[in-house]
Amino acid sequence: MDSIRYGILTVSDSCFYNKSEDRSGVELEQCINDEQSDIGKVLKGRVCIKLIVPDEEKYIKKTLKHWVHEEVDVILTVGGTGFSKRDVTPEATRHVIQKECPGMVIAMQMSSLKITPMAMLSRAVCGIRGSTLIINLPGSPKAAKECLSAIACAIPHAVNLIKDEKDKIKSTHMIVQGETNVKNVTYPHKISSCLSSVAERDRESSYPMISIDEAKELMVREVELVNVCTELELENCLGKILATDLYSKYDLPPFRASIKDGYAVLASDGMGKRKVLAGIKAGDIATAIKLEAGTCVRVNTGAPIPDDATAVVQVEDTKLVEESLDKEESEIEIMTEVKPGQDIRPIGCDIKKDDLILKKYTKLGAIELGLAAACGYNKITTTYVPLVGVLSTGDELQCAGGPLMPGHVYDSNKITLLSMLRENGFDPIDLGIAADHEEAMVEKIRDAVQKVDVLITSGSVSMGDKDMLKPILTGHFNATIHFGRVNIKPGKPTTFATCMFKNRKKYFLCLPGNPVSATVIMRFFGFTLLNRLRVYDCEETIVRAKLASGYKLDSRPEFVRANLKWSDEDTLPTATITGNQISSKLLSCKNANSFLLLPARGLEDELQEGDVVEALLLNV
């Protein structure tokens, strides 16, 4: 096909009078002209003419007629399709076109209604004048691109039909039907769905149930390490992983320091009276002060002491003998024996210069960062931190804050997962909520893989007719699903997949939608993947505990939320299960400080009070 000539006519008072920028027209032009973009691959042409006109019917009509005579193949108008008094683009278009194309309008509205109910307020018109196709698009950049994406695959075929180019009609029709090589292009909105109908869906999962250990091994095996390190200021390093061994730049302490509030003395003077020469506080310099027999210097904790001093006597072991006119101590008496070196911290007694203070691949917590600062560092090098995005899925979800709509629930998974990631040194991206519609979910995931290395989703992985993540990942993104079911409770439908995008490996961890399942699986599988990517071998803290009450075992290994309490009477803590363990009840996690690692049901189907089980400690 010859290159299609596109014209973009932006209809906007504010853009025409330079009160705002024409973002929509610019973004559409970039998409069409970029042969590598999803829209550009399909539209097969270039923008040859652009113009901005005010919301005036006469200017819109005049421009459309002029461009038709200039043999523009497709004119895209942007803006003026709403309910405002100044929105007259559809009226102007109707006066110009000779044939209407209602199917394109319907396709755009059906696609847009799956994203927002406000799409019903669009009054767009599509039609033909001469050999030119004219299409009205909404004014916002996002809506304009979404509507154009919905009909993009039909536009080249429509152009050939309008021009009666019979030799090209069959080939473009086959492209629309997905029967040529073009079907390998991933379109913004595929014509043929990768999903089966509700009646034809599988009645049981086609993915084998694998063990927890097998799932973790698969994840670790699929990780491709990225050899990129970043130098960060200490305040930005909390939760990050140290990339190199760290050695102290200085002795700690760097001078002889007093351990107590008291007096620096000559130990050889023993007990008795001393003249107080001066006072030294933390931050002062003591090298200029010389001690002689029978003298001392008042010092504070942490203060340097004179080079001559051989001991420090705490203030509690002295008494005042005489004070000066200005109420300073002029003479004190030492009441106890004085030992050489007492209450003095020698230079480098804590850390010597060039000592190894932190090993490579240490997770940087508050203490580690404080230690680095004490040894002279304000910046340190950390390992690669993958960019992580969090996406919730489900028609029933809404963000907290507004009144709860009928049949809806507030989305708690996203804030829980984002918070867990931030607590562990990641800077996650909130990718919002995807509706249970193929086009909307594909668009969300497509946006995500351009921004992040790892996409963590919740919902849409089980066996419901709206659980579409697995077929979308394989059908639209050519992803490999490494596992789709794990022998674990909660969290059986947990899914892990990878795909290549622009020569970078992308990772998908798809969590169940129930809040407890999402939280538990993120703790066990999410951080397994993320820690491997940033080269951190996290060792879990597992202890033995006694059950406070009996518990019926499940057919799957189960992670049960519990609270451990220690007492003087027993060497093992007592584990109290935190109420009902159904996977939708997030309240059961509130008081939990551990997960009990319970085995699958075997010869015994119930544990008894006092039975000893393993427990994994949380937040340690």
Side-chain angles (χ1 to χ4, degrees):
M1 174 189 290
D2 296 334
S3 179
I4 297 174
R5 289 163 51 87
Y6 289 90
I8 297 177
L9 178 61
T10 301
V11 182
S12 168
D13 286 337
S14 59
C15 292
F16 182 77
Y17 294 110
N18 294 318
K19 295 180 180 178
S20 62
E21 293 183 6
D22 176 22
R23 289 179 50 229
S24 299
V26 170
E27 289 193 24
L28 283 181
E29 181 183 18
Q30 290 173 345
C31 289
I32 294 169
N33 289 347
D34 182 0
E35 295 178 357
Q36 300 304 312
S37 74
D38 293 320
I39 294 178
K41 288 175 184 176
V42 182
L43 293 181
K44 300 186 179 300
R46 295 192 66 79
V47 175
C48 62
I49 189 167
K50 278 180 61 185
L51 190 65
I52 302 172
V53 296
D55 290 287
E56 296 282 353
E57 210 172 323
K58 61 180 180 180
Y59 292 117
I60 301 170
K61 290 192 292 185
K62 182 179 179 180
T63 305
L64 292 176
K65 290 176 182 178
H66 177 66
W67 284 6
V68 168
H69 289 302
E70 290 291 319
E71 297 184 350
V72 176
D73 299 314
V74 181
I75 300 173
L76 304 173
T77 72
V78 183
T81 62
F83 278 36
S84 166
K85 289 182 179 180
R86 299 284 292 172
D87 289 336
V88 293
T89 304
E91 285 69 32
T93 305
R94 281 197 181 92
H95 278 97
V96 172
I97 61 175
Q98 297 159 330
K99 297 178 182 179
E100 282 205 47
C101 304
M104 286 189 162
V105 176
I106 293 170
M108 288 192 291
Q109 284 202 313
M110 288 179 64
S111 175
S112 298
L113 284 168
K114 292 177 180 179
I115 299 170
T116 171
M118 294 299 105
M120 69 180 71
L121 302 182
S122 174
R123 301 186 304 110
V125 170
C126 295
I128 303 164
R129 181 182 178 93
S131 297
T132 301
L133 176 62
I134 302 173
I135 300 169
N136 292 167
L137 298 174
S140 84
K142 181 175 182 293
K145 287 167 65 176
E146 287 170 351
C147 287
L148 184 57
S149 297
I151 60 172
C153 59
I155 289 176
H157 185 55
V159 170
N160 285 338
L161 288 170
I162 293 168
K163 292 185 174 184
D164 197 25
E165 295 181 328
K166 293 182 173 60
D167 58 325
K168 299 175 182 177
I169 290 173
K170 183 176 180 181
S171 63
T172 53
H173 182 265
M174 289 172 67
I175 290 173
V176 175
Q177 295 300 319
E179 296 174 1
T180 70
N181 289 336
V182 181
K183 67 184 178 182
N184 294 322
V185 176
T186 306
Y187 296 110
H189 298 281
K190 280 201 171 183
I191 296 301
S192 56
S193 170
C194 66
L195 304 178
S196 60
S197 67
V198 175
E200 294 174 343
R201 63 178 167 146
D202 292 335
R203 266 16 204 189
E204 60 180 65
S205 175
S206 59
Y207 295 92
M209 183 101 74
I210 66 173
S211 71
I212 298 168
D213 289 341
E214 286 176 310
K216 286 191 171 186
E217 287 173 9
L218 271 170
M219 296 179 83
V220 171
R221 191 186 313 154
E222 285 301 317
V223 167
E224 292 182 2
L225 297 180
V226 178
N227 189 25
V228 175
C229 298
T230 307
E231 187 178 55
L232 298 174
E233 294 185 357
L234 289 189
E235 62 193 43
N236 298 320
C237 290
L238 185 64
K240 305 291 192 293
I241 309 302
L242 185 64
T244 59
D245 288 337
L246 212 62
Y247 298 87
S248 179
K249 295 182 178 182
Y250 303 97
D251 291 316
L252 286 184
F255 49 80
R256 297 169 72 232
S258 174
I259 296 175
K260 301 282 183 68
D261 292 324
Y263 302 89
V265 300
L266 299 173
S268 58
D269 283 351
M271 298 171 62
K273 296 178 180 181
R274 301 286 189 278
K275 287 185 177 181
V276 181
L277 300 180
I280 302 173
K281 63 181 185 298
D284 286 348
I285 299 174
T287 53
I289 300 176
K290 303 295 182 183
L291 286 181
E292 297 177 352
T295 64
C296 69
V297 173
R298 185 176 69 255
V299 292
N300 292 336
T301 302
I305 62 172
D307 293 341
D308 299 328
T310 55
V312 169
V313 179
Q314 64 179 2
V315 68
E316 295 89 338
D317 293 331
T318 68
K319 70 177 182 179
L320 179 64
V321 175
E322 186 178 337
E323 62 181 83
S324 63
L325 294 176
D326 56 359
K327 301 298 182 181
E328 289 287 335
E329 300 170 337
S330 58
E331 188 174 17
I332 55 104
E333 183 176 354
I334 296 173
M335 312 297 295
T336 61
E337 293 290 334
V338 182
K339 297 179 180 178
Q342 76 178 32
D343 289 334
I344 293 176
R345 292 171 62 212
I347 294 173
C349 67
D350 293 343
I351 298 172
K352 295 190 181 302
K353 183 181 178 181
D354 297 327
D355 276 357
L356 176 65
I357 56 170
L358 293 172
K359 288 186 177 181
K360 185 178 182 179
Y361 303 141
T362 296
K363 186 175 182 181
L364 298 166
I367 301 303
E368 289 77 13
L369 295 176
L371 183 58
C375 292
Y377 290 90
N378 69 330
K379 293 181 179 180
I380 52 178
T381 303
T382 61
T383 62
Y384 162 75
V385 179
L387 291 173
V388 188
V390 177
L391 174 68
S392 294
T393 70
D395 286 341
E396 78 282 8
L397 298 180
Q398 73 175 78
C399 294
L404 191 62
M405 294 186 291
H408 283 62
V409 294
Y410 292 122
D411 178 16
S412 63
N413 282 347
K414 189 146 51 63
I415 186 62
T416 301
L417 297 173
L418 290 169
S419 300
M420 291 174 73
L421 287 162
R422 291 186 184 113
E423 286 176 345
N424 284 273
F426 297 93
D427 302 309
I429 299 174
D430 182 350
L431 295 171
I433 299 171
D436 285 324
H437 300 286
E438 185 174 2
E439 293 89 346
M441 200 170 291
V442 168
E443 198 64 33
K444 282 283 191 181
I445 297 173
R446 191 181 310 285
D447 177 60
V449 294
Q450 296 184 63
K451 295 177 179 176
V452 302
D453 304 304
V454 180
L455 175 60
I456 296 172
T457 67
S458 62
S460 197
V461 288
S462 191
M463 295 297 294
D465 62 289
K466 294 296 185 181
D467 292 326
M468 58 184 70
L469 259 177
K470 291 186 181 84
I472 281 176
L473 289 176
T474 55
H476 288 274
F477 296 90
N478 197 28
T480 300
I481 295 183
H482 301 285
F483 60 80
R485 285 198 306 165
V486 182
N487 190 24
I488 184 175
K489 182 181 179 182
K492 181 173 72 172
T494 299
T495 298
F496 172 61
T498 59
C499 79
M500 295 303 295
F501 181 81
K502 294 183 178 179
N503 297 320
R504 286 287 298 273
K505 193 168 190 176
K506 303 291 181 173
Y507 305 85
F508 304 90
L509 180 61
C510 307
L511 314 177
N514 277 320
V516 173
S517 300
T519 303
V520 171
I521 297 303
M522 183 64 200
R523 175 69 176 76
F524 280 94
F525 289 98
F527 289 114
T528 295
L529 171 63
L530 296 174
N531 285 334
R532 177 58 180 164
L533 280 165
R534 61 178 181 169
V535 199
Y536 174 53
D537 185 15
C538 177
E539 294 185 4
E540 306 283 16
T541 303
I542 296 176
V543 300
R544 287 158 55 83
K546 294 170 68 173
L547 287 176
S549 59
Y551 190 80
K552 190 170 183 177
L553 295 173
D554 191 79
S555 59
R556 288 172 278 154
E558 186 173 7
F559 295 104
V560 174
R561 284 78 72 197
N563 183 265
L564 300 190
K565 289 186 177 179
W566 281 259
S567 68
D568 295 335
E569 290 74 33
D570 204 328
T571 56
L572 296 180
T574 299
T576 302
I577 294 170
T578 58
N580 193 315
Q581 295 293 297
I582 60 173
S583 57
S584 60
K585 192 169 183 178
L586 192 59
L587 194 64
S588 65
C589 292
K590 186 174 77 73
N591 296 317
N593 59 12
S594 64
F595 287 134
L596 303 184
L597 310 180
L598 302 186
R601 185 167 55 237
L603 296 176
E604 300 292 334
D605 64 356
E606 189 169 353
L607 295 172
Q608 306 299 321
E609 178 183 344
D611 281 351
V612 177
V613 296
E614 288 188 332
L616 183 138
L617 298 185
L618 303 178
N619 302 320
V620 294

mmCIF file of all heavy atoms in Angstrom, residues 243-272:
data_model
loop_
_atom_site.group_PDB
_atom_site.id
_atom_site.type_symbol
_atom_site.label_atom_id
_atom_site.label_comp_id
_atom_site.label_asym_id
_atom_site.label_seq_id
_atom_site.Cartn_x
_atom_site.Cartn_y
_atom_site.Cartn_z
ATOM 1 N N ALA A 243 26.404 -2.621 47.224
ATOM 2 C CA ALA A 243 27.004 -3.265 46.050
ATOM 3 C C ALA A 243 28.469 -3.627 46.242
ATOM 4 O O ALA A 243 29.010 -4.442 45.498
ATOM 5 C CB ALA A 243 26.859 -2.357 44.831
ATOM 6 N N THR A 244 29.134 -3.017 47.217
ATOM 7 C CA THR A 244 30.573 -3.267 47.426
ATOM 8 C C THR A 244 30.858 -3.399 48.924
ATOM 9 O O THR A 244 30.082 -2.933 49.750
ATOM 10 C CB THR A 244 31.420 -2.102 46.877
ATOM 11 O OG1 THR A 244 31.033 -0.894 47.554
ATOM 12 C CG2 THR A 244 31.205 -1.932 45.379
ATOM 13 N N ASP A 245 31.983 -4.013 49.250
ATOM 14 C CA ASP A 245 32.440 -3.995 50.643
ATOM 15 C C ASP A 245 32.710 -2.546 51.045
ATOM 16 O O ASP A 245 33.197 -1.748 50.236
ATOM 17 C CB ASP A 245 33.724 -4.816 50.800
ATOM 18 C CG ASP A 245 33.475 -6.317 50.687
ATOM 19 O OD1 ASP A 245 32.335 -6.743 50.924
ATOM 20 O OD2 ASP A 245 34.429 -7.041 50.335
ATOM 21 N N LEU A 246 32.431 -2.228 52.304
ATOM 22 C CA LEU A 246 32.609 -0.853 52.780
ATOM 23 C C LEU A 246 33.639 -0.853 53.913
ATOM 24 O O LEU A 246 33.497 -1.600 54.893
ATOM 25 C CB LEU A 246 31.275 -0.296 53.270
ATOM 26 C CG LEU A 246 31.040 1.214 53.081
ATOM 27 C CD1 LEU A 246 31.064 1.554 51.605
ATOM 28 C CD2 LEU A 246 29.704 1.615 53.686
ATOM 29 N N TYR A 247 34.659 -0.006 53.764
ATOM 30 C CA TYR A 247 35.736 0.078 54.753
ATOM 31 C C TYR A 247 35.713 1.453 55.413
ATOM 32 O O TYR A 247 35.431 2.463 54.776
ATOM 33 C CB TYR A 247 37.100 -0.143 54.084
ATOM 34 C CG TYR A 247 37.242 -1.504 53.460
ATOM 35 C CD1 TYR A 247 36.821 -1.732 52.154
ATOM 36 C CD2 TYR A 247 37.768 -2.576 54.181
ATOM 37 C CE1 TYR A 247 36.941 -2.989 51.566
ATOM 38 C CE2 TYR A 247 37.893 -3.834 53.608
ATOM 39 C CZ TYR A 247 37.472 -4.035 52.308
ATOM 40 O OH TYR A 247 37.596 -5.280 51.745
ATOM 41 N N SER A 248 36.054 1.478 56.697
ATOM 42 C CA SER A 248 36.026 2.743 57.432
ATOM 43 C C SER A 248 37.086 3.700 56.929
ATOM 44 O O SER A 248 38.239 3.312 56.686
ATOM 45 C CB SER A 248 36.223 2.486 58.922
ATOM 46 O OG SER A 248 36.209 3.708 59.623
ATOM 47 N N LYS A 249 36.701 4.956 56.779
ATOM 48 C CA LYS A 249 37.653 5.985 56.344
ATOM 49 C C LYS A 249 38.453 6.552 57.512
ATOM 50 O O LYS A 249 39.465 7.223 57.304
ATOM 51 C CB LYS A 249 36.903 7.128 55.655
ATOM 52 C CG LYS A 249 36.215 6.740 54.351
ATOM 53 C CD LYS A 249 35.547 7.950 53.721
ATOM 54 C CE LYS A 249 34.902 7.613 52.388
ATOM 55 N NZ LYS A 249 34.291 8.810 51.745
ATOM 56 N N TYR A 250 38.016 6.294 58.747
ATOM 57 C CA TYR A 250 38.645 6.906 59.923
ATOM 58 C C TYR A 250 38.673 5.920 61.079
ATOM 59 O O TYR A 250 37.963 4.909 61.092
ATOM 60 C CB TYR A 250 37.870 8.161 60.357
ATOM 61 C CG TYR A 250 37.741 9.196 59.279
ATOM 62 C CD1 TYR A 250 36.590 9.272 58.492
ATOM 63 C CD2 TYR A 250 38.775 10.101 59.030
ATOM 64 C CE1 TYR A 250 36.474 10.224 57.487
ATOM 65 C CE2 TYR A 250 38.670 11.052 58.032
ATOM 66 C CZ TYR A 250 37.513 11.109 57.259
ATOM 67 O OH TYR A 250 37.412 12.044 56.263
ATOM 68 N N ASP A 251 39.518 6.231 62.079
ATOM 69 C CA ASP A 251 39.464 5.537 63.359
ATOM 70 C C ASP A 251 38.246 6.040 64.120
ATOM 71 O O ASP A 251 37.900 7.225 64.070
ATOM 72 C CB ASP A 251 40.718 5.848 64.197
ATOM 73 C CG ASP A 251 41.974 5.232 63.613
ATOM 74 O OD1 ASP A 251 41.924 4.062 63.201
ATOM 75 O OD2 ASP A 251 43.017 5.935 63.570
ATOM 76 N N LEU A 252 37.588 5.139 64.840
ATOM 77 C CA LEU A 252 36.497 5.523 65.728
ATOM 78 C C LEU A 252 36.778 5.003 67.131
ATOM 79 O O LEU A 252 36.936 3.790 67.299
ATOM 80 C CB LEU A 252 35.162 4.959 65.224
ATOM 81 C CG LEU A 252 34.530 5.615 63.988
ATOM 82 C CD1 LEU A 252 33.187 4.984 63.698
ATOM 83 C CD2 LEU A 252 34.385 7.111 64.158
ATOM 84 N N PRO A 253 36.853 5.868 68.128
ATOM 85 C CA PRO A 253 36.826 7.323 67.978
ATOM 86 C C PRO A 253 38.143 7.816 67.375
ATOM 87 O O PRO A 253 39.179 7.164 67.507
ATOM 88 C CB PRO A 253 36.654 7.811 69.403
ATOM 89 C CG PRO A 253 37.273 6.757 70.242
ATOM 90 C CD PRO A 253 37.004 5.455 69.539
ATOM 91 N N PRO A 254 38.122 9.002 66.756
ATOM 92 C CA PRO A 254 39.349 9.528 66.143
ATOM 93 C C PRO A 254 40.261 10.211 67.147
ATOM 94 O O PRO A 254 41.322 10.710 66.775
ATOM 95 C CB PRO A 254 38.803 10.524 65.112
ATOM 96 C CG PRO A 254 37.483 10.953 65.665
ATOM 97 C CD PRO A 254 36.928 9.787 66.414
ATOM 98 N N PHE A 255 39.857 10.276 68.413
ATOM 99 C CA PHE A 255 40.671 10.868 69.485
ATOM 100 C C PHE A 255 40.363 10.095 70.763
ATOM 101 O O PHE A 255 39.395 9.340 70.835
ATOM 102 C CB PHE A 255 40.338 12.356 69.662
ATOM 103 C CG PHE A 255 38.842 12.621 69.761
ATOM 104 C CD1 PHE A 255 38.155 12.423 70.962
ATOM 105 C CD2 PHE A 255 38.118 13.042 68.650
ATOM 106 C CE1 PHE A 255 36.796 12.635 71.048
ATOM 107 C CE2 PHE A 255 36.754 13.267 68.733
ATOM 108 C CZ PHE A 255 36.077 13.059 69.936
ATOM 109 N N ARG A 256 41.223 10.288 71.798
ATOM 110 C CA ARG A 256 40.961 9.665 73.110
ATOM 111 C C ARG A 256 39.774 10.396 73.732
ATOM 112 O O ARG A 256 39.796 11.618 73.894
ATOM 113 C CB ARG A 256 42.189 9.763 73.995
ATOM 114 C CG ARG A 256 43.378 9.003 73.438
ATOM 115 C CD ARG A 256 44.653 9.334 74.182
ATOM 116 N NE ARG A 256 44.677 8.751 75.507
ATOM 117 C CZ ARG A 256 44.924 9.427 76.642
ATOM 118 N NH1 ARG A 256 45.139 10.737 76.594
ATOM 119 N NH2 ARG A 256 44.950 8.811 77.790
ATOM 120 N N ALA A 257 38.730 9.630 74.077
ATOM 121 C CA ALA A 257 37.469 10.251 74.501
ATOM 122 C C ALA A 257 37.068 9.759 75.884
ATOM 123 O O ALA A 257 37.359 8.617 76.284
ATOM 124 C CB ALA A 257 36.361 9.936 73.507
ATOM 125 N N SER A 258 36.395 10.639 76.613
ATOM 126 C CA SER A 258 35.904 10.279 77.946
ATOM 127 C C SER A 258 34.632 9.451 77.829
ATOM 128 O O SER A 258 33.724 9.772 77.051
ATOM 129 C CB SER A 258 35.628 11.544 78.757
ATOM 130 O OG SER A 258 35.034 11.204 79.993
ATOM 131 N N ILE A 259 34.546 8.404 78.629
ATOM 132 C CA ILE A 259 33.336 7.577 78.670
ATOM 133 C C ILE A 259 32.314 8.160 79.631
ATOM 134 O O ILE A 259 31.110 7.917 79.502
ATOM 135 C CB ILE A 259 33.696 6.129 79.072
ATOM 136 C CG1 ILE A 259 34.596 5.494 78.003
ATOM 137 C CG2 ILE A 259 32.467 5.271 79.286
ATOM 138 C CD1 ILE A 259 35.098 4.111 78.368
ATOM 139 N N LYS A 260 32.724 8.977 80.580
ATOM 140 C CA LYS A 260 31.837 9.484 81.631
ATOM 141 C C LYS A 260 31.904 11.012 81.724
ATOM 142 O O LYS A 260 32.841 11.650 81.244
ATOM 143 C CB LYS A 260 32.265 8.905 82.996
ATOM 144 C CG LYS A 260 32.254 7.393 83.105
ATOM 145 C CD LYS A 260 30.860 6.863 83.301
ATOM 146 C CE LYS A 260 30.841 5.357 83.489
ATOM 147 N NZ LYS A 260 31.451 4.909 84.731
ATOM 148 N N ASP A 261 30.900 11.571 82.383
ATOM 149 C CA ASP A 261 30.999 12.960 82.844
ATOM 150 C C ASP A 261 31.855 12.936 84.105
ATOM 151 O O ASP A 261 31.510 12.237 85.070
ATOM 152 C CB ASP A 261 29.611 13.514 83.180
ATOM 153 C CG ASP A 261 28.738 13.688 81.948
ATOM 154 O OD1 ASP A 261 29.273 14.051 80.892
ATOM 155 O OD2 ASP A 261 27.523 13.447 82.036
ATOM 156 N N GLY A 262 32.957 13.666 84.123
ATOM 157 C CA GLY A 262 33.832 13.623 85.306
ATOM 158 C C GLY A 262 35.077 14.457 85.094
ATOM 159 O O GLY A 262 35.000 15.583 84.584
ATOM 160 N N TYR A 263 36.232 13.867 85.423
ATOM 161 C CA TYR A 263 37.485 14.631 85.417
ATOM 162 C C TYR A 263 38.600 13.775 84.816
ATOM 163 O O TYR A 263 38.767 12.598 85.191
ATOM 164 C CB TYR A 263 37.860 15.056 86.843
ATOM 165 C CG TYR A 263 36.764 15.882 87.485
ATOM 166 C CD1 TYR A 263 35.734 15.264 88.201
ATOM 167 C CD2 TYR A 263 36.750 17.265 87.364
ATOM 168 C CE1 TYR A 263 34.713 16.013 88.770
ATOM 169 C CE2 TYR A 263 35.737 18.018 87.916
ATOM 170 C CZ TYR A 263 34.708 17.380 88.617
ATOM 171 O OH TYR A 263 33.697 18.125 89.171
ATOM 172 N N ALA A 264 39.352 14.365 83.872
ATOM 173 C CA ALA A 264 40.539 13.717 83.324
ATOM 174 C C ALA A 264 41.700 14.002 84.268
ATOM 175 O O ALA A 264 41.974 15.163 84.606
ATOM 176 C CB ALA A 264 40.834 14.261 81.928
ATOM 177 N N VAL A 265 42.376 12.919 84.683
ATOM 178 C CA VAL A 265 43.405 13.060 85.739
ATOM 179 C C VAL A 265 44.654 12.271 85.368
ATOM 180 O O VAL A 265 44.673 11.526 84.392
ATOM 181 C CB VAL A 265 42.857 12.539 87.090
ATOM 182 C CG1 VAL A 265 41.623 13.314 87.513
ATOM 183 C CG2 VAL A 265 42.555 11.036 87.019
ATOM 184 N N LEU A 266 45.683 12.456 86.215
ATOM 185 C CA LEU A 266 46.851 11.582 86.180
ATOM 186 C C LEU A 266 46.602 10.465 87.175
ATOM 187 O O LEU A 266 46.465 10.711 88.377
ATOM 188 C CB LEU A 266 48.123 12.356 86.530
ATOM 189 C CG LEU A 266 48.490 13.514 85.598
ATOM 190 C CD1 LEU A 266 49.678 14.290 86.184
ATOM 191 C CD2 LEU A 266 48.823 12.981 84.215
ATOM 192 N N ALA A 267 46.498 9.228 86.684
ATOM 193 C CA ALA A 267 46.178 8.108 87.580
ATOM 194 C C ALA A 267 47.220 7.968 88.683
ATOM 195 O O ALA A 267 46.911 7.543 89.798
ATOM 196 C CB ALA A 267 46.079 6.812 86.768
ATOM 197 N N SER A 268 48.448 8.354 88.403
ATOM 198 C CA SER A 268 49.529 8.202 89.397
ATOM 199 C C SER A 268 49.326 9.093 90.614
ATOM 200 O O SER A 268 49.925 8.865 91.672
ATOM 201 C CB SER A 268 50.881 8.521 88.736
ATOM 202 O OG SER A 268 50.861 9.838 88.197
ATOM 203 N N ASP A 269 48.461 10.133 90.524
ATOM 204 C CA ASP A 269 48.199 11.013 91.657
ATOM 205 C C ASP A 269 47.344 10.333 92.727
ATOM 206 O O ASP A 269 47.315 10.771 93.887
ATOM 207 C CB ASP A 269 47.492 12.290 91.206
ATOM 208 C CG ASP A 269 48.443 13.282 90.534
ATOM 209 O OD1 ASP A 269 49.659 13.035 90.584
ATOM 210 O OD2 ASP A 269 47.949 14.269 89.951
ATOM 211 N N GLY A 270 46.622 9.274 92.369
ATOM 212 C CA GLY A 270 45.791 8.551 93.332
ATOM 213 C C GLY A 270 44.622 9.380 93.821
ATOM 214 O O GLY A 270 44.123 10.277 93.130
ATOM 215 N N MET A 271 44.167 9.079 95.067
ATOM 216 C CA MET A 271 43.061 9.813 95.666
ATOM 217 C C MET A 271 43.568 11.174 96.152
ATOM 218 O O MET A 271 44.748 11.418 96.238
ATOM 219 C CB MET A 271 42.484 9.010 96.839
ATOM 220 C CG MET A 271 41.920 7.658 96.429
ATOM 221 S SD MET A 271 41.491 6.633 97.850
ATOM 222 C CE MET A 271 40.232 7.620 98.638
ATOM 223 N N GLY A 272 42.600 12.054 96.441
ATOM 224 C CA GLY A 272 42.982 13.333 97.021
ATOM 225 C C GLY A 272 42.470 14.521 96.230
ATOM 226 O O GLY A 272 41.653 14.394 95.314
#
